[in-house]
Amino acid sequence: MEFTEKELVDLLEVSQPALFKGLKHTPSKLRKLEGASKKVKHYKLEDLPERYQKKLERHGYKLEKKEETHSSQAKFTQKYLLATPLKQEIAKAKCKLIEMYMKRDNSMSAGMWLDEVAYKNIEFDVLGMISQKQLFDWLKKYKETKARGQNLIECFIDARGSNKKNKTALTSEQQEMAIRFFLKTSHPIISNIHFIMCSHFGDTMPSYDALNNFYNKWRKANPQLSTFAKSPDAWKNKYQIALGSESEKAKYRNHYWEFDATPADVICNDGKRYTVLGLIDIATRRVIFRVEDSNSSFAVSRLLRDGILNFGIPETVVIDNGKEFTSNHFESICLNLGIDLLITPPFSGEKKPFIERAFGTLARGLFRQLHGFIGHNVAMREELQARETFGHKIMAQRKFKERAKEEEDAFAKLWMINKENIGIKLNFAMSKDELQNAINLWVKKFYNQKKHGGLKGKTPMAVWNSFKQPVQSIGDERMLDLLLGKSFEKSVGAKDTGIRHQGCRYWHDELIPYIGKKVKIMTTDDMGEVIVYDAETMQLICKAVDFEQIGNSREAAYIARKKQDQSKRMMRRAVRLAEEADDPTMMDALENLDDGEKAETIAVTKHTAVTDMLLEQSSTLVEQDQEELEESNQYDFKNKDKDGKPQKVLKGGRPTFKTLTDRFVWVLEHDDWNNKDERLKEKNPEIYEMAFDIYKNRKIG
């Protein structure tokens, strides 16, 4: 059962962007809808995410489930797998016996059922004589285990007499944590794990030897899991089963092609490590390789062009979900040429086994023999660098003694490209074009003429020639270039504007009747030209030209813009990280400074008529308030002294004032005047004016 994206949007009631995100890693296949020319993606129900399957069940779309038996009710764990074959057989027999007993005719008693059914069934001979008590005990255990949702077979595994070698001093919690550490890293360092676990479990953590012994036993008991934790690729090569041959689906040449790309294991003389793109015809194993600067949609299009010119047009292309293969550009090319796209899930090299194997053959058969070979992996690269570096040291000593200027310059050039190229003899390495020529020569004279085991001892060229039916191809190479270009819809402006695209202005006098209208343009790699078509009839109009850009590569410009955008992102990220960094501020720096030399000031009271009057009145005011406070019987329960007792206040709830200014300010703020305040105001107008200014400034603030 398959669904299109439009059908899924309607059934699941989700938006198109949400569906696109949810199906990002879901395999799909392009198929034509009835009455339509354009192919659309189709998704199988069993491949959809579980949350989508559950939603589709509400609409009646449900996966057909196989009839469950006792063996499918739970996943087997270490308890079952480590049991002896006899104990496994007994456990399965008990489980089956109980299931048969629960389906019996209810009119038959337990004893009668044992006599008439169980004892006569040879499947239960391994159980010996079964009493009714045993039957009922097993029935109870079965029901309790099922209610808990646990494994029904493992509940009957006899754990007695287990191998004592499997025992460990680690508790179950410690074992679980240790296993998690074993799985987190490809090369567990037991001493580090023991140190971390000691800090967590304290004195209850057993010794290092106990943990190390547990690791060795676990690794031996779980070879696949330990291998997978170390390297999924190593597990795939060693343990993954092969169910039939993928080549059986390819019945003839150009039936199926596989595409892929990989970095070359060779550094060229410009210090760059280029990308090798490849395609293989599965039925004949013929291959084509291209050396490119990077894996882009332009590069993939050029590879497809080479394939079509040399092999013909394929029916189906197998690709992964890389953006260069699933781009609108590449999908449009395949749609225009009637090529079906088969997209494999991410990280599924086994779905493209033939091109993967061809890359391996190229690396072992050719790259290892070339100057600039850097190894197939990190370990080999380090070995090569160590060997070459030692040779350079001997050479350097000899050059130092000889004092030969030209030799010193030659030696210095070996180190001038990149740090990662240390030890590589770049002065003998190939250029990019020379590497491409070497690959072409190796494919033509060696690979295509070599007998392949998968071809039953025949060569790729012999198998290719054995098919007599003609291949489909493109008659005009220029038409192929147009098909491989990108198409855009543009508006035509006046002659001084023309067609604007990617910073260029294209014009031809044939565009005059189309000014103000929409046209369709096809781009080639030459930035100086575009092919223009009528947007409605798709009839060719002209080749419009931007004379300033003729001869410039569109891909080179695209790569330059991409690098500049990357540089902008890096700069923007650097600024953002700098802004987010918790660096010390100026206030932090000032607070960290010592107080330094302190000011030494001796204060003396300045006596004037006003200050003397204020001092005299303040002391008088304090004495008067003190007398009133003693006579007062009011308390402020909100403000308490250090002993927790409420403080005594003046009548009316006024506080005691130290100065006349404080009294006037308080009266003004609380608008609480009495006769005494009025007399003080008339007697001390200057002090009142000062208090009024203070009150007014506080109110404004």
Side-chain angles (χ1 to χ4, degrees), residues 48-78:
L48 294 176
E50 187 177 351
R51 64 182 186 279
Y52 288 169
Q53 293 182 10
K54 289 181 179 179
K55 286 186 178 181
L56 291 173
E57 283 184 11
R58 302 171 192 166
H59 297 280
Y61 303 101
K62 194 172 182 180
L63 288 173
E64 296 182 3
K65 295 185 177 179
K66 296 182 180 179
E67 185 178 353
E68 291 188 351
T69 64
H70 57 270
S71 62
S72 64
Q73 292 174 2
K75 296 179 180 178
F76 294 125
T77 59
Q78 202 170 23

PDB file of all heavy atoms in Angstrom, residues 48-78:
ATOM      1  N   LEU A  48       6.645   4.119   6.590  1.00  0.00           N
ATOM      2  CA  LEU A  48       6.313   5.378   7.250  1.00  0.00           C
ATOM      3  C   LEU A  48       6.641   5.314   8.733  1.00  0.00           C
ATOM      4  O   LEU A  48       6.631   4.237   9.335  1.00  0.00           O
ATOM      5  CB  LEU A  48       4.821   5.686   7.085  1.00  0.00           C
ATOM      6  CG  LEU A  48       4.337   5.983   5.654  1.00  0.00           C
ATOM      7  CD1 LEU A  48       2.832   6.159   5.634  1.00  0.00           C
ATOM      8  CD2 LEU A  48       5.010   7.236   5.103  1.00  0.00           C
ATOM      9  N   PRO A  49       6.932   6.469   9.360  1.00  0.00           N
ATOM     10  CA  PRO A  49       7.163   6.488  10.810  1.00  0.00           C
ATOM     11  C   PRO A  49       5.959   5.937  11.563  1.00  0.00           C
ATOM     12  O   PRO A  49       4.815   6.028  11.099  1.00  0.00           O
ATOM     13  CB  PRO A  49       7.375   7.979  11.113  1.00  0.00           C
ATOM     14  CG  PRO A  49       7.829   8.571   9.818  1.00  0.00           C
ATOM     15  CD  PRO A  49       7.131   7.793   8.742  1.00  0.00           C
ATOM     16  N   GLU A  50       6.202   5.374  12.723  1.00  0.00           N
ATOM     17  CA  GLU A  50       5.152   4.702  13.493  1.00  0.00           C
ATOM     18  C   GLU A  50       4.000   5.646  13.827  1.00  0.00           C
ATOM     19  O   GLU A  50       2.832   5.255  13.803  1.00  0.00           O
ATOM     20  CB  GLU A  50       5.757   4.124  14.784  1.00  0.00           C
ATOM     21  CG  GLU A  50       4.780   3.261  15.561  1.00  0.00           C
ATOM     22  CD  GLU A  50       5.421   2.633  16.784  1.00  0.00           C
ATOM     23  OE1 GLU A  50       6.662   2.741  16.930  1.00  0.00           O
ATOM     24  OE2 GLU A  50       4.696   2.024  17.583  1.00  0.00           O
ATOM     25  N   ARG A  51       4.316   6.946  14.115  1.00  0.00           N
ATOM     26  CA  ARG A  51       3.240   7.877  14.487  1.00  0.00           C
ATOM     27  C   ARG A  51       2.295   8.111  13.311  1.00  0.00           C
ATOM     28  O   ARG A  51       1.088   8.318  13.505  1.00  0.00           O
ATOM     29  CB  ARG A  51       3.837   9.189  14.973  1.00  0.00           C
ATOM     30  CG  ARG A  51       4.634   9.976  13.948  1.00  0.00           C
ATOM     31  CD  ARG A  51       5.213  11.248  14.582  1.00  0.00           C
ATOM     32  NE  ARG A  51       5.868  12.104  13.632  1.00  0.00           N
ATOM     33  CZ  ARG A  51       7.105  11.916  13.187  1.00  0.00           C
ATOM     34  NH1 ARG A  51       7.816  10.895  13.626  1.00  0.00           N
ATOM     35  NH2 ARG A  51       7.637  12.772  12.317  1.00  0.00           N
ATOM     36  N   TYR A  52       2.838   8.071  12.075  1.00  0.00           N
ATOM     37  CA  TYR A  52       1.993   8.233  10.895  1.00  0.00           C
ATOM     38  C   TYR A  52       1.154   6.979  10.656  1.00  0.00           C
ATOM     39  O   TYR A  52      -0.003   7.069  10.238  1.00  0.00           O
ATOM     40  CB  TYR A  52       2.852   8.530   9.671  1.00  0.00           C
ATOM     41  CG  TYR A  52       3.469   9.910   9.656  1.00  0.00           C
ATOM     42  CD1 TYR A  52       4.448  10.260   8.734  1.00  0.00           C
ATOM     43  CD2 TYR A  52       3.069  10.882  10.561  1.00  0.00           C
ATOM     44  CE1 TYR A  52       5.024  11.533   8.726  1.00  0.00           C
ATOM     45  CE2 TYR A  52       3.638  12.151  10.565  1.00  0.00           C
ATOM     46  CZ  TYR A  52       4.600  12.470   9.650  1.00  0.00           C
ATOM     47  OH  TYR A  52       5.157  13.720   9.652  1.00  0.00           O
ATOM     48  N   GLN A  53       1.745   5.791  10.897  1.00  0.00           N
ATOM     49  CA  GLN A  53       0.998   4.548  10.728  1.00  0.00           C
ATOM     50  C   GLN A  53      -0.211   4.507  11.655  1.00  0.00           C
ATOM     51  O   GLN A  53      -1.297   4.075  11.270  1.00  0.00           O
ATOM     52  CB  GLN A  53       1.915   3.351  10.985  1.00  0.00           C
ATOM     53  CG  GLN A  53       3.022   3.169   9.954  1.00  0.00           C
ATOM     54  CD  GLN A  53       3.872   1.947  10.234  1.00  0.00           C
ATOM     55  OE1 GLN A  53       3.540   1.123  11.074  1.00  0.00           O
ATOM     56  NE2 GLN A  53       4.987   1.834   9.525  1.00  0.00           N
ATOM     57  N   LYS A  54      -0.018   4.981  12.918  1.00  0.00           N
ATOM     58  CA  LYS A  54      -1.116   4.965  13.869  1.00  0.00           C
ATOM     59  C   LYS A  54      -2.243   5.903  13.427  1.00  0.00           C
ATOM     60  O   LYS A  54      -3.423   5.598  13.602  1.00  0.00           O
ATOM     61  CB  LYS A  54      -0.603   5.366  15.254  1.00  0.00           C
ATOM     62  CG  LYS A  54       0.278   4.301  15.905  1.00  0.00           C
ATOM     63  CD  LYS A  54       0.739   4.740  17.293  1.00  0.00           C
ATOM     64  CE  LYS A  54       1.589   3.656  17.932  1.00  0.00           C
ATOM     65  NZ  LYS A  54       2.089   4.067  19.287  1.00  0.00           N
ATOM     66  N   LYS A  55      -1.888   7.068  12.871  1.00  0.00           N
ATOM     67  CA  LYS A  55      -2.917   7.989  12.384  1.00  0.00           C
ATOM     68  C   LYS A  55      -3.681   7.400  11.201  1.00  0.00           C
ATOM     69  O   LYS A  55      -4.892   7.566  11.072  1.00  0.00           O
ATOM     70  CB  LYS A  55      -2.282   9.319  11.981  1.00  0.00           C
ATOM     71  CG  LYS A  55      -1.867  10.189  13.157  1.00  0.00           C
ATOM     72  CD  LYS A  55      -1.389  11.556  12.664  1.00  0.00           C
ATOM     73  CE  LYS A  55      -1.027  12.454  13.839  1.00  0.00           C
ATOM     74  NZ  LYS A  55      -0.586  13.806  13.380  1.00  0.00           N
ATOM     75  N   LEU A  56      -2.942   6.696  10.329  1.00  0.00           N
ATOM     76  CA  LEU A  56      -3.582   6.104   9.150  1.00  0.00           C
ATOM     77  C   LEU A  56      -4.498   4.948   9.526  1.00  0.00           C
ATOM     78  O   LEU A  56      -5.431   4.618   8.779  1.00  0.00           O
ATOM     79  CB  LEU A  56      -2.516   5.633   8.157  1.00  0.00           C
ATOM     80  CG  LEU A  56      -1.723   6.753   7.457  1.00  0.00           C
ATOM     81  CD1 LEU A  56      -0.602   6.172   6.636  1.00  0.00           C
ATOM     82  CD2 LEU A  56      -2.648   7.574   6.566  1.00  0.00           C
ATOM     83  N   GLU A  57      -4.247   4.291  10.678  1.00  0.00           N
ATOM     84  CA  GLU A  57      -5.127   3.221  11.132  1.00  0.00           C
ATOM     85  C   GLU A  57      -6.546   3.727  11.360  1.00  0.00           C
ATOM     86  O   GLU A  57      -7.522   2.999  11.154  1.00  0.00           O
ATOM     87  CB  GLU A  57      -4.581   2.609  12.430  1.00  0.00           C
ATOM     88  CG  GLU A  57      -3.412   1.669  12.207  1.00  0.00           C
ATOM     89  CD  GLU A  57      -2.967   1.001  13.501  1.00  0.00           C
ATOM     90  OE1 GLU A  57      -3.687   1.111  14.516  1.00  0.00           O
ATOM     91  OE2 GLU A  57      -1.907   0.355  13.473  1.00  0.00           O
ATOM     92  N   ARG A  58      -6.665   5.009  11.770  1.00  0.00           N
ATOM     93  CA  ARG A  58      -7.999   5.582  12.011  1.00  0.00           C
ATOM     94  C   ARG A  58      -8.800   5.692  10.721  1.00  0.00           C
ATOM     95  O   ARG A  58     -10.034   5.758  10.748  1.00  0.00           O
ATOM     96  CB  ARG A  58      -7.861   6.959  12.651  1.00  0.00           C
ATOM     97  CG  ARG A  58      -7.082   6.962  13.959  1.00  0.00           C
ATOM     98  CD  ARG A  58      -6.805   8.379  14.403  1.00  0.00           C
ATOM     99  NE  ARG A  58      -5.828   8.425  15.485  1.00  0.00           N
ATOM    100  CZ  ARG A  58      -5.205   9.521  15.873  1.00  0.00           C
ATOM    101  NH1 ARG A  58      -5.466  10.682  15.274  1.00  0.00           N
ATOM    102  NH2 ARG A  58      -4.313   9.481  16.857  1.00  0.00           N
ATOM    103  N   HIS A  59      -8.096   5.760   9.586  1.00  0.00           N
ATOM    104  CA  HIS A  59      -8.772   5.837   8.290  1.00  0.00           C
ATOM    105  C   HIS A  59      -8.924   4.460   7.646  1.00  0.00           C
ATOM    106  O   HIS A  59      -9.304   4.365   6.471  1.00  0.00           O
ATOM    107  CB  HIS A  59      -7.984   6.754   7.355  1.00  0.00           C
ATOM    108  CG  HIS A  59      -7.908   8.177   7.833  1.00  0.00           C
ATOM    109  ND1 HIS A  59      -8.930   9.090   7.675  1.00  0.00           N
ATOM    110  CD2 HIS A  59      -6.923   8.837   8.503  1.00  0.00           C
ATOM    111  CE1 HIS A  59      -8.577  10.255   8.193  1.00  0.00           C
ATOM    112  NE2 HIS A  59      -7.361  10.126   8.707  1.00  0.00           N
ATOM    113  N   GLY A  60      -8.593   3.422   8.393  1.00  0.00           N
ATOM    114  CA  GLY A  60      -8.775   2.068   7.876  1.00  0.00           C
ATOM    115  C   GLY A  60      -7.556   1.475   7.198  1.00  0.00           C
ATOM    116  O   GLY A  60      -7.623   0.360   6.671  1.00  0.00           O
ATOM    117  N   TYR A  61      -6.446   2.200   7.184  1.00  0.00           N
ATOM    118  CA  TYR A  61      -5.220   1.672   6.579  1.00  0.00           C
ATOM    119  C   TYR A  61      -4.379   1.044   7.687  1.00  0.00           C
ATOM    120  O   TYR A  61      -3.853   1.733   8.538  1.00  0.00           O
ATOM    121  CB  TYR A  61      -4.434   2.785   5.888  1.00  0.00           C
ATOM    122  CG  TYR A  61      -5.220   3.515   4.825  1.00  0.00           C
ATOM    123  CD1 TYR A  61      -5.780   4.768   5.098  1.00  0.00           C
ATOM    124  CD2 TYR A  61      -5.413   2.963   3.573  1.00  0.00           C
ATOM    125  CE1 TYR A  61      -6.495   5.447   4.139  1.00  0.00           C
ATOM    126  CE2 TYR A  61      -6.143   3.641   2.595  1.00  0.00           C
ATOM    127  CZ  TYR A  61      -6.683   4.870   2.892  1.00  0.00           C
ATOM    128  OH  TYR A  61      -7.389   5.529   1.942  1.00  0.00           O
ATOM    129  N   LYS A  62      -4.252  -0.253   7.649  1.00  0.00           N
ATOM    130  CA  LYS A  62      -3.566  -0.967   8.718  1.00  0.00           C
ATOM    131  C   LYS A  62      -2.675  -2.042   8.130  1.00  0.00           C
ATOM    132  O   LYS A  62      -3.044  -2.719   7.166  1.00  0.00           O
ATOM    133  CB  LYS A  62      -4.582  -1.602   9.676  1.00  0.00           C
ATOM    134  CG  LYS A  62      -3.989  -2.073  10.973  1.00  0.00           C
ATOM    135  CD  LYS A  62      -5.096  -2.510  11.932  1.00  0.00           C
ATOM    136  CE  LYS A  62      -4.511  -2.936  13.272  1.00  0.00           C
ATOM    137  NZ  LYS A  62      -5.567  -3.359  14.228  1.00  0.00           N
ATOM    138  N   LEU A  63      -1.470  -2.176   8.710  1.00  0.00           N
ATOM    139  CA  LEU A  63      -0.553  -3.220   8.247  1.00  0.00           C
ATOM    140  C   LEU A  63      -1.097  -4.582   8.627  1.00  0.00           C
ATOM    141  O   LEU A  63      -1.673  -4.773   9.703  1.00  0.00           O
ATOM    142  CB  LEU A  63       0.828  -3.032   8.892  1.00  0.00           C
ATOM    143  CG  LEU A  63       1.664  -1.853   8.383  1.00  0.00           C
ATOM    144  CD1 LEU A  63       2.912  -1.705   9.242  1.00  0.00           C
ATOM    145  CD2 LEU A  63       2.070  -2.087   6.944  1.00  0.00           C
ATOM    146  N   GLU A  64      -0.926  -5.538   7.720  1.00  0.00           N
ATOM    147  CA  GLU A  64      -1.332  -6.905   8.008  1.00  0.00           C
ATOM    148  C   GLU A  64      -0.314  -7.537   8.935  1.00  0.00           C
ATOM    149  O   GLU A  64       0.867  -7.625   8.607  1.00  0.00           O
ATOM    150  CB  GLU A  64      -1.443  -7.729   6.717  1.00  0.00           C
ATOM    151  CG  GLU A  64      -2.529  -7.221   5.778  1.00  0.00           C
ATOM    152  CD  GLU A  64      -2.628  -8.089   4.536  1.00  0.00           C
ATOM    153  OE1 GLU A  64      -1.884  -9.095   4.467  1.00  0.00           O
ATOM    154  OE2 GLU A  64      -3.427  -7.766   3.651  1.00  0.00           O
ATOM    155  N   LYS A  65      -0.793  -7.963  10.110  1.00  0.00           N
ATOM    156  CA  LYS A  65       0.102  -8.572  11.087  1.00  0.00           C
ATOM    157  C   LYS A  65       0.028 -10.075  10.999  1.00  0.00           C
ATOM    158  O   LYS A  65      -1.042 -10.656  10.829  1.00  0.00           O
ATOM    159  CB  LYS A  65      -0.277  -8.115  12.509  1.00  0.00           C
ATOM    160  CG  LYS A  65      -0.072  -6.626  12.726  1.00  0.00           C
ATOM    161  CD  LYS A  65      -0.345  -6.269  14.181  1.00  0.00           C
ATOM    162  CE  LYS A  65      -0.082  -4.793  14.435  1.00  0.00           C
ATOM    163  NZ  LYS A  65      -0.359  -4.428  15.831  1.00  0.00           N
ATOM    164  N   LYS A  66       1.191 -10.677  11.119  1.00  0.00           N
ATOM    165  CA  LYS A  66       1.238 -12.134  11.129  1.00  0.00           C
ATOM    166  C   LYS A  66       0.698 -12.662  12.444  1.00  0.00           C
ATOM    167  O   LYS A  66       0.757 -11.999  13.468  1.00  0.00           O
ATOM    168  CB  LYS A  66       2.681 -12.613  10.927  1.00  0.00           C
ATOM    169  CG  LYS A  66       3.255 -12.230   9.577  1.00  0.00           C
ATOM    170  CD  LYS A  66       4.660 -12.765   9.433  1.00  0.00           C
ATOM    171  CE  LYS A  66       5.244 -12.388   8.077  1.00  0.00           C
ATOM    172  NZ  LYS A  66       6.616 -12.883   7.925  1.00  0.00           N
ATOM    173  N   GLU A  67       0.138 -13.868  12.392  1.00  0.00           N
ATOM    174  CA  GLU A  67      -0.399 -14.481  13.602  1.00  0.00           C
ATOM    175  C   GLU A  67       0.701 -14.665  14.633  1.00  0.00           C
ATOM    176  O   GLU A  67       1.743 -15.251  14.355  1.00  0.00           O
ATOM    177  CB  GLU A  67      -1.027 -15.842  13.263  1.00  0.00           C
ATOM    178  CG  GLU A  67      -1.714 -16.471  14.465  1.00  0.00           C
ATOM    179  CD  GLU A  67      -2.368 -17.788  14.091  1.00  0.00           C
ATOM    180  OE1 GLU A  67      -2.380 -18.098  12.890  1.00  0.00           O
ATOM    181  OE2 GLU A  67      -2.842 -18.472  14.997  1.00  0.00           O
ATOM    182  N   GLU A  68       0.461 -14.099  15.829  1.00  0.00           N
ATOM    183  CA  GLU A  68       1.466 -14.159  16.874  1.00  0.00           C
ATOM    184  C   GLU A  68       1.433 -15.499  17.587  1.00  0.00           C
ATOM    185  O   GLU A  68       0.391 -16.093  17.799  1.00  0.00           O
ATOM    186  CB  GLU A  68       1.234 -13.036  17.892  1.00  0.00           C
ATOM    187  CG  GLU A  68       1.518 -11.670  17.344  1.00  0.00           C
ATOM    188  CD  GLU A  68       1.467 -10.624  18.433  1.00  0.00           C
ATOM    189  OE1 GLU A  68       1.044 -10.967  19.550  1.00  0.00           O
ATOM    190  OE2 GLU A  68       1.847  -9.477  18.154  1.00  0.00           O
ATOM    191  N   THR A  69       2.579 -15.979  17.912  1.00  0.00           N
ATOM    192  CA  THR A  69       2.709 -17.170  18.740  1.00  0.00           C
ATOM    193  C   THR A  69       3.462 -16.788  19.987  1.00  0.00           C
ATOM    194  O   THR A  69       3.882 -15.646  20.158  1.00  0.00           O
ATOM    195  CB  THR A  69       3.463 -18.280  17.986  1.00  0.00           C
ATOM    196  OG1 THR A  69       4.800 -17.815  17.735  1.00  0.00           O
ATOM    197  CG2 THR A  69       2.788 -18.611  16.669  1.00  0.00           C
ATOM    198  N   HIS A  70       3.685 -17.752  20.868  1.00  0.00           N
ATOM    199  CA  HIS A  70       4.378 -17.465  22.113  1.00  0.00           C
ATOM    200  C   HIS A  70       5.791 -16.967  21.877  1.00  0.00           C
ATOM    201  O   HIS A  70       6.331 -16.237  22.677  1.00  0.00           O
ATOM    202  CB  HIS A  70       4.416 -18.730  22.994  1.00  0.00           C
ATOM    203  CG  HIS A  70       5.074 -19.897  22.304  1.00  0.00           C
ATOM    204  ND1 HIS A  70       4.369 -20.795  21.535  1.00  0.00           N
ATOM    205  CD2 HIS A  70       6.365 -20.284  22.238  1.00  0.00           C
ATOM    206  CE1 HIS A  70       5.192 -21.718  21.047  1.00  0.00           C
ATOM    207  NE2 HIS A  70       6.405 -21.424  21.456  1.00  0.00           N
ATOM    208  N   SER A  71       6.388 -17.350  20.753  1.00  0.00           N
ATOM    209  CA  SER A  71       7.781 -16.946  20.509  1.00  0.00           C
ATOM    210  C   SER A  71       7.905 -15.506  20.068  1.00  0.00           C
ATOM    211  O   SER A  71       8.988 -14.956  20.059  1.00  0.00           O
ATOM    212  CB  SER A  71       8.403 -17.855  19.439  1.00  0.00           C
ATOM    213  OG  SER A  71       7.695 -17.710  18.217  1.00  0.00           O
ATOM    214  N   SER A  72       6.753 -14.858  19.666  1.00  0.00           N
ATOM    215  CA  SER A  72       6.830 -13.467  19.199  1.00  0.00           C
ATOM    216  C   SER A  72       6.330 -12.481  20.244  1.00  0.00           C
ATOM    217  O   SER A  72       6.196 -11.306  19.971  1.00  0.00           O
ATOM    218  CB  SER A  72       6.003 -13.296  17.920  1.00  0.00           C
ATOM    219  OG  SER A  72       4.641 -13.529  18.189  1.00  0.00           O
ATOM    220  N   GLN A  73       6.012 -12.962  21.443  1.00  0.00           N
ATOM    221  CA  GLN A  73       5.418 -12.082  22.438  1.00  0.00           C
ATOM    222  C   GLN A  73       6.438 -11.265  23.199  1.00  0.00           C
ATOM    223  O   GLN A  73       6.080 -10.424  23.987  1.00  0.00           O
ATOM    224  CB  GLN A  73       4.560 -12.906  23.405  1.00  0.00           C
ATOM    225  CG  GLN A  73       3.318 -13.476  22.706  1.00  0.00           C
ATOM    226  CD  GLN A  73       2.559 -14.412  23.613  1.00  0.00           C
ATOM    227  OE1 GLN A  73       2.942 -14.593  24.756  1.00  0.00           O
ATOM    228  NE2 GLN A  73       1.503 -14.999  23.101  1.00  0.00           N
ATOM    229  N   ALA A  74       7.718 -11.537  23.029  1.00  0.00           N
ATOM    230  CA  ALA A  74       8.749 -10.746  23.708  1.00  0.00           C
ATOM    231  C   ALA A  74      10.083 -11.007  23.061  1.00  0.00           C
ATOM    232  O   ALA A  74      10.290 -12.035  22.433  1.00  0.00           O
ATOM    233  CB  ALA A  74       8.809 -11.087  25.190  1.00  0.00           C
ATOM    234  N   LYS A  75      10.967 -10.071  23.215  1.00  0.00           N
ATOM    235  CA  LYS A  75      12.312 -10.240  22.687  1.00  0.00           C
ATOM    236  C   LYS A  75      13.159 -11.037  23.676  1.00  0.00           C
ATOM    237  O   LYS A  75      13.103 -10.791  24.876  1.00  0.00           O
ATOM    238  CB  LYS A  75      12.949  -8.874  22.432  1.00  0.00           C
ATOM    239  CG  LYS A  75      12.220  -8.070  21.369  1.00  0.00           C
ATOM    240  CD  LYS A  75      12.875  -6.726  21.174  1.00  0.00           C
ATOM    241  CE  LYS A  75      12.148  -5.925  20.105  1.00  0.00           C
ATOM    242  NZ  LYS A  75      12.733  -4.600  19.917  1.00  0.00           N
ATOM    243  N   PHE A  76      13.924 -11.964  23.143  1.00  0.00           N
ATOM    244  CA  PHE A  76      14.772 -12.762  24.014  1.00  0.00           C
ATOM    245  C   PHE A  76      15.939 -11.933  24.517  1.00  0.00           C
ATOM    246  O   PHE A  76      16.513 -11.137  23.783  1.00  0.00           O
ATOM    247  CB  PHE A  76      15.284 -13.996  23.270  1.00  0.00           C
ATOM    248  CG  PHE A  76      14.187 -14.960  22.910  1.00  0.00           C
ATOM    249  CD1 PHE A  76      13.996 -15.369  21.605  1.00  0.00           C
ATOM    250  CD2 PHE A  76      13.340 -15.439  23.896  1.00  0.00           C
ATOM    251  CE1 PHE A  76      12.983 -16.252  21.281  1.00  0.00           C
ATOM    252  CE2 PHE A  76      12.328 -16.331  23.572  1.00  0.00           C
ATOM    253  CZ  PHE A  76      12.143 -16.743  22.262  1.00  0.00           C
ATOM    254  N   THR A  77      16.273 -12.155  25.777  1.00  0.00           N
ATOM    255  CA  THR A  77      17.393 -11.443  26.379  1.00  0.00           C
ATOM    256  C   THR A  77      18.482 -12.435  26.726  1.00  0.00           C
ATOM    257  O   THR A  77      18.451 -13.594  26.313  1.00  0.00           O
ATOM    258  CB  THR A  77      16.928 -10.691  27.636  1.00  0.00           C
ATOM    259  OG1 THR A  77      16.383 -11.638  28.564  1.00  0.00           O
ATOM    260  CG2 THR A  77      15.868  -9.658  27.304  1.00  0.00           C
ATOM    261  N   GLN A  78      19.421 -11.971  27.526  1.00  0.00           N
ATOM    262  CA  GLN A  78      20.587 -12.792  27.842  1.00  0.00           C
ATOM    263  C   GLN A  78      20.187 -14.077  28.573  1.00  0.00           C
ATOM    264  O   GLN A  78      20.817 -15.110  28.403  1.00  0.00           O
ATOM    265  CB  GLN A  78      21.549 -11.966  28.705  1.00  0.00           C
ATOM    266  CG  GLN A  78      22.973 -12.452  28.675  1.00  0.00           C
ATOM    267  CD  GLN A  78      23.909 -11.466  29.347  1.00  0.00           C
ATOM    268  OE1 GLN A  78      23.487 -10.680  30.172  1.00  0.00           O
ATOM    269  NE2 GLN A  78      25.164 -11.537  29.011  1.00  0.00           N
TER     270      GLN A  78
END
